[in-house]
Amino acid sequence: VHLVESGGGLVQTGDSLKLSCVPSQRAFRRDAMGWFRQAPGKEREFVAALTWNTDDTFYGNSVKGRFTISRDNSTSTVYLEMNSLKLEDTAVYYCASGSLGDSPTFYDYWGPGTQVTVSP
């Protein structure tokens, strides 16, 4: 396992949830960290990304204004804070490490994913 995610679970619409991701080894940390998600029958979707050395953050259109990506450089941990959750946010959420971009092809290492389920 290259990256380890945690924090997924079952919540209701409007609730909040915070995911965490940390590389299992220092070698799996790359310039950028991203979060993607994949719902059943759908393609993997870009959620958010950041780099370790700048304050820039990037978001997919469907989560802008609701989700916040952040990092702790001292522990190499990346977080995804999700607010105002909607039914359509239900998916497996993946953490990834690689070059900055909004496509899975930019990222070299992945976590196994953590399930987020939003119920009515």
Side-chain angles (χ1 to χ4, degrees):
V1 176
H2 300 128
L3 305 172
V4 181
E5 304 110 335
S6 62
L10 173 63
V11 296
Q12 294 184 316
T13 54
D15 283 351
S16 299
L17 205 58
K18 189 171 184 177
L19 307 181
S20 301
C21 170
V22 60
S24 59
Q25 298 180 31
R26 183 73 170 87
F28 299 137
R29 171 174 154 163
R30 289 292 182 263
D31 292 340
M33 299 290 289
W35 286 96
F36 289 79
R37 67 186 183 185
Q38 189 165 19
K42 294 188 176 181
E43 293 186 353
R44 195 162 292 193
E45 176 190 15
F46 172 71
V47 175
L50 53 69
T51 63
W52 293 106
N53 299 319
T54 74
D55 292 332
D56 296 327
T57 55
F58 305 89
Y59 296 94
N61 289 333
S62 61
V63 305
K64 280 181 182 177
R66 299 188 299 122
F67 290 12
T68 303
I69 188 171
S70 61
R71 68 178 194 270
D72 182 336
N73 286 50
S74 65
T75 61
S76 296
T77 304
V78 175
Y79 302 96
L80 183 69
E81 185 166 4
M82 305 182 293
N83 297 316
S84 302
L85 283 162
K86 304 176 181 180
L87 294 176
E88 52 263 42
D89 293 319
T90 295
V92 177
Y93 284 70
Y94 296 92
C95 177
S97 174
S99 301
L100 185 64
D102 61 359
S103 167
T105 60
F106 284 90
Y107 296 86
D108 304 310
Y109 300 110
W110 293 82
T114 186
Q115 177 71 46
V116 172
T117 303
V118 184
S119 65

